[in-house]
Amino acid sequence: MPVRSLRSSVITWPSREAVEQGLREWVQRLELPGLLAAGYFGSYARGDQGPGSDLDIILIVQEASLPPWQRPRLLPLEELPVPAEALVYTQAEWRKLPRASPRFARTLALEARWLIGPPMP
């Protein structure tokens, strides 16, 4: 998280490298059954992040009993070094993504950085 010096109004924000390392460690600790792939996209993946940027995470699992919008609430996102949002897709949903959301699928194909994976086609 950002840190403020006691004698300064300057806020320092973790570097891209520190955020990626924090994400790597978080993924290693993550207890998510059937995890197939893990990565990130958005400003940290593109390298244009700045103070206040959040981390956009993508996780692909074999199966899930919850609907997509409820899956991230089970993740300990507060353990990451910056605010984060996560998308959790099942393998079947991931395979359908290019047809269901072609623009987003292209964006992910271009900019996602995979820590586990790469994802299956």
Side-chain angles (χ1 to χ4, degrees), residues 1-61:
M1 284 304 214
V3 179
R4 184 183 303 271
S5 169
L6 293 177
R7 296 190 181 108
S8 172
S9 61
V10 175
I11 294 177
T12 59
W13 201 257
S15 69
R16 177 183 180 182
E17 294 77 16
V19 170
E20 183 174 310
Q21 183 59 37
L23 179 59
R24 283 183 190 283
E25 293 168 3
W26 181 84
V27 167
Q28 289 175 349
R29 292 189 311 268
L30 190 60
E31 294 180 15
L32 188 59
L35 181 63
L36 301 171
Y40 62 102
F41 64 99
S43 62
Y44 277 97
R46 291 188 305 268
D48 60 6
Q49 77 286 347
S53 292
D54 71 337
L55 179 62
D56 300 299
I57 302 168
I58 186 162
L59 303 169
I60 302 170
V61 295

Side-chain angles (χ1 to χ4, degrees), residues 89-118:
Y89 289 101
T90 64
Q91 186 173 23
E93 292 164 346
W94 178 253
R95 287 186 173 141
K96 293 177 186 174
L97 190 63
R99 291 183 307 282
S101 186
R103 184 174 178 199
F104 185 55
R106 276 192 307 276
T107 298
L108 289 175
L110 291 172
E111 69 180 40
R113 295 175 54 111
W114 297 98
L115 306 176
I116 296 176

